[in-house]
Amino acid sequence: MAEVRLSGGNVGGAVRVGDTVRRAAGPWTPAVHALLQHLADNGFTGAPRPLGFDEQGREVLTFLPGETVGGRRPRPGWVRADDTLDQVARWLRDCHQAVAGFVPPPGAVWRGGGSWTRGLIVGHNDTSPDNAAWQAGQLTGFFDWDFAGPVPPGWDLAFAAFSWVPLDTRPYLAEGFTDLEALPRRLSRFLATYGWAATTSEFLEVVAARITAHADGIRDLAATGDQAFVRLADQGVPQFLDQAVADLAQFKR
């Protein structure tokens, strides 16, 4: 069966073969597959199911149907719709509920590092529009679980809000997005739909810590010679993230 290269992907890449997706595996893949199997066993349908490995040693996952952002700029209109914001918040809430009982297998390795302890969840950690599938007005789910790992629930929520509200307005401004006055309302809506119990100010502190760690992580991985992250560093992504953290002050007025 023919392989079709899937668009997008800042780190790695994937091909579609029939109703499956094949991707290069890493030391973290067994732990991610255990996580995805737990989600499937608990009735969560918004993530791929693991199907093992193929003859080339690539991981095999079920294909999430729907359109993706890929390399399209500007991004499609559904990315900025209020209803999409609600769907992403509900997806994250339901995912966190489904994963709450997951205990990683002994010796689990996570790409982003970290060790699981009770009180943490294993979050997706990269729920950006680039990793979403959208079909007939509905969020099918999120793919690209390589950076799943143990985090507080708010840490995972912070990255999603940063990407979807959006709290990082730089790429959206470049595409002609101008409704900056709507951002505080969209943030409040997102947190209410998820069920965030603390204040917005407390949440923004979590966002700042999360995105700072993200920028530092890119720098650290680039310093090891990982070419995917060398490219991100060369593109100035860590500096853009640093500026986005500084820009969070506008939401505290």
Side-chain angles (χ1 to χ4, degrees):
M1 190 173 294
E3 296 188 357
V4 178
R5 174 66 57 178
L6 296 172
S7 63
N10 290 321
V11 181
V15 298
R16 181 179 179 182
V17 181
D19 291 329
T20 70
V21 172
R22 315 294 173 97
R23 306 173 74 246
W28 54 84
T29 304
V32 172
H33 282 200
L35 168 66
L36 293 175
Q37 189 60 56
H38 173 87
L39 291 173
D41 290 346
N42 282 272
F44 185 77
T45 59
R49 288 185 293 107
L51 300 174
F53 300 86
D54 67 9
E55 65 281 356
Q56 298 180 40
R58 299 176 299 185
E59 66 169 332
V60 183
L61 305 163
T62 57
F63 176 77
L64 282 182
E67 69 168 311
T68 62
V69 171
R72 285 186 291 169
R73 297 296 182 270
R75 293 171 174 87
W78 55 264
V79 171
R80 297 189 297 273
D82 281 357
D83 182 62
T84 304
L85 195 66
D86 293 342
Q87 291 191 49
V88 171
R90 288 194 295 267
W91 182 94
L92 206 63
R93 178 196 63 205
D94 294 347
C95 180
H96 288 176
Q97 290 174 349
V99 80
F102 176 66
V103 177
V109 174
W110 305 105
R111 190 172 190 180
S115 300
W116 179 86
T117 59
R118 296 198 178 276
L120 299 180
I121 62 164
V122 177
H124 182 288
N125 293 327
D126 196 11
T127 49
S128 75
D130 292 334
N131 293 327
W134 182 263
Q135 185 177 51
Q138 297 295 317
L139 177 70
T140 306
F142 285 91
F143 48 87
D144 197 355
W145 288 73
D146 274 12
F147 285 94
V151 290
W155 199 258
D156 206 20
L157 183 66
F159 190 89
F162 183 75
S163 302
W164 288 94
V165 170
L167 302 179
D168 179 15
T169 58
R170 172 188 49 83
Y172 293 87
L173 289 171
E175 296 170 16
F177 175 77
T178 59
D179 194 9
L180 299 181
E181 292 183 357
L183 297 181
R185 173 189 61 79
R186 284 173 58 82
L187 175 59
S188 295
R189 178 173 183 152
F190 183 77
L191 295 177
T193 302
Y194 175 84
W196 175 260
T199 67
T200 300
S201 294
E202 289 170 328
F203 180 71
L204 289 172
E205 293 176 2
V206 177
V207 174
R210 171 68 178 90
I211 302 308
T212 297
H214 183 40
D216 291 344
I218 293 173
R219 292 185 179 97
D220 291 345
L221 288 167
T224 69
D226 187 314
Q227 288 305 301
F229 290 92
V230 168
R231 288 195 298 273
L232 293 177
D234 288 345
Q235 292 165 6
V237 172
Q239 290 79 10
F240 287 133
L241 293 173
D242 292 341
Q243 184 58 53
V245 170
D247 291 344
L248 291 175
Q250 67 182 302
F251 295 95
K252 299 180 180 180
R253 292 179 302 183

